[in-house]
Amino acid sequence: MNQPSSVAEANPLRAYLPRTVAPEPCAVVLFGATGDLTHRKLAPALMRLAVEGQMPSEYAIVGFARRDWDDQQFRSELHNTLKDAKIPDFDQTWPTFAEHVLFCPGTFDDPQAYARLKQILERADQSLGTRGNRLYYLAVAPDFFPTIVEHLGQAGLIYPHHQDAPWSRVVVEKPFGHDLASARQLNRELSRVLSESQTYRIDHYLGKETVQNILALRFANAIFEPIWNRRHVDGVQITVAEEVGMPGGRGAYYDSAGALRDMVQNHMMQLLCLVAMEPPVNLSADAVRNEKVKVLQALPRWTTEQVLANVVKGQYGPGSIQGKPLAGYRQEKGVAPDSKTDTFVALRFTLETWRWAGVPFFLRTGKRLPKRATEIAIQFKKPPTFHFEPDDASLAGANHLVLRIQPNEGASLAFQAKVPGSRRRLQEVRMEFRYGNAFASPPPEAYERLLLDVMLGDPTLFTRIDEVDSAWQFITPILEAWQETRLEPAFYEAGTWGPPEADQLIARDGMRWRRL
């Protein structure tokens, strides 16, 4: 008889329990321990969990990388990183935290390195009480995922979980494949060693408190769900805007990816799912993820002609932001001078479901836009008759619910109010909710929540393989249409909101992009 492989599976209502449940003792192994992700996100997140008392009672943090370091050198490196992170109570917590930090030098394809890692982990079981439980975080390029997992399996470092026996879990970063075929191939390679319950495909957007709050706003408030449908909603806009271009020589990577793969296939599809999904029967991992998959399966499967009619591919040229001159994408380091890579994408589609049939969804994302912002805007239908003088005739009474993911995390509801005076003139006003004001503290970092969930064995905020597969089934025909037609990008100046073609796309439905 199969035993539950996680706390969430053992108790489907675990999401309703207080999050004071402590994770079991474990060792956290960071592959790529000297890389950017570890130093910017993972190490600070683990340190904050330790400061907040949310790490297991016994734990080890083991760095794995090519550097010929010992434990003390790795500790010194982490100390410098964490000191700059300005974590409260760092000085008091660091001495104890450092005692749990270990290092294993080696390359990802060296069997001897995994033998050393096994010895280090067994010593940690003895000296630090980690009890054989393992969390492997692959903070490395996706090309290394199969190699690392295969060697972990060969070294006996991955094992099936049974009740009252140690567990092993693997976290893989995005991107999971670069198209449908490669995603399926990668899953086949990983599944030779890992079960689905041991595989945690991370999308840090799902760890953001503001993203999780979408479910609370929809399903914990009776005023929204009755009007969250095609009878009351005119359109939905999801925007992920970035000011940055190609920092740190990222151009070489980005030139093989582009905005559609880098942002739409994962982050934006997840935001879409949370906005459009049906209410789950409960908040267990499978109940939530089942409803998300249904949204992705309702996406259109476009022909080449439909792709060209409903998707805008853009690329930034020279421009400026706040008076600072900026190079065009093709002038960035590592980018081909004739690159056709998309740095901006805008899409328009409908979902073939009872709730959303006929409602246009508009997604846009881009590099070198005027500001950094992520938001979801629900535009409700206009009143059937209008007896007032609107301040903005193009909106004419349309109400908007805006969910701000970043920055200024929160939500606002825009509605019309009469301007004082003898005229019947209206002006848009807003009711505002801001996390910082309401809760007197900013939301926690996404990686804190996600790392804690892996230690607890809760996969709710991680992407299941059928989610990945369904998202790629929508994205891959777009990539193939661009390749087939050798589509040139529509150019836009750095520091603007994208090419004119994006404005034309949304104007076909009598709408316009929101001014962020």
Side-chain angles (χ1 to χ4, degrees), residues 220-474:
N221 297 286
I223 61 174
F224 292 121
E225 189 58 21
I227 59 171
W228 208 268
N229 55 56
R230 59 187 174 85
R231 289 184 293 277
H232 300 280
V233 175
D234 225 8
V236 179
Q237 293 184 33
I238 302 177
T239 298
V240 179
E242 297 182 282
E243 276 186 293
V244 297
M246 298 296 123
R250 196 165 179 260
Y253 157 74
Y254 198 86
D255 212 36
S256 64
L260 190 67
R261 288 188 176 100
D262 190 52
M263 275 291 179
V264 179
Q265 186 274 332
N266 38 72
H267 299 332
M268 300 191 80
M269 288 292 103
Q270 291 298 320
L271 295 178
L272 170 70
C273 287
L274 295 176
V275 170
M277 65 187 277
E278 294 298 319
V281 294
N282 56 45
L283 293 183
S284 66
D286 279 339
V288 172
R289 298 196 290 183
N290 287 345
E291 297 303 332
K292 289 165 60 182
V293 169
K294 292 176 186 176
V295 174
L296 297 171
Q297 291 173 341
L299 286 163
R301 301 294 184 256
W302 280 328
T303 63
T304 297
E305 292 73 21
Q306 290 170 322
V307 168
L308 298 180
N310 292 287
V311 183
V312 173
K313 173 185 180 182
Q315 186 184 102
Y316 67 84
S320 66
I321 295 179
Q322 297 179 348
K324 179 184 176 183
L326 298 169
Y329 176 72
R330 293 180 176 181
Q331 288 77 53
E332 299 277 15
K333 182 180 178 181
V335 175
D338 59 349
S339 173
K340 293 182 173 63
T341 298
D342 49 304
T343 66
F344 176 97
V345 179
L347 307 90
R348 186 258 187 219
F349 56 82
T350 58
L351 296 172
E352 295 309 312
T353 67
W354 277 83
R355 180 183 292 265
W356 295 113
V359 176
F361 283 75
F362 301 96
L363 276 57
R364 63 170 170 170
T365 184
K367 298 282 190 183
R368 286 295 189 214
L369 301 184
K371 62 187 291 189
R372 172 178 172 264
T374 300
E375 72 162 39
I376 300 165
I378 314 296
Q379 179 175 319
F380 295 98
K381 291 184 182 295
K382 301 172 185 179
T385 60
F386 211 74
H387 306 298
F388 297 88
E389 306 169 44
D391 187 54
D392 186 337
S394 65
L395 295 177
N399 304 123
H400 293 80
L401 177 64
V402 179
L403 312 177
R404 293 187 304 274
I405 310 302
Q406 63 183 14
N408 303 320
E409 293 89 347
S412 67
L413 179 63
F415 59 96
Q416 304 292 321
K418 181 181 176 297
V419 177
S422 58
R423 293 174 58 188
R424 293 177 177 174
R425 190 164 66 87
L426 297 181
Q427 182 175 312
E428 184 178 275
V429 295
R430 296 184 182 184
M431 289 192 294
E432 290 278 349
F433 153 63
R434 294 200 176 192
Y435 271 87
N437 295 340
F439 302 115
S441 63
E445 285 289 324
Y447 280 95
E448 288 180 56
R449 169 67 188 270
L450 295 171
L451 284 166
L452 181 59
D453 277 359
V454 182
M455 288 187 274
L456 288 167
D458 183 355
T460 306
L461 299 179
F462 295 83
T463 310
R464 205 167 61 188
I465 187 57
D466 50 351
E467 290 181 63
V468 175
D469 195 272
S470 297
W472 276 122
Q473 287 185 52
F474 173 62

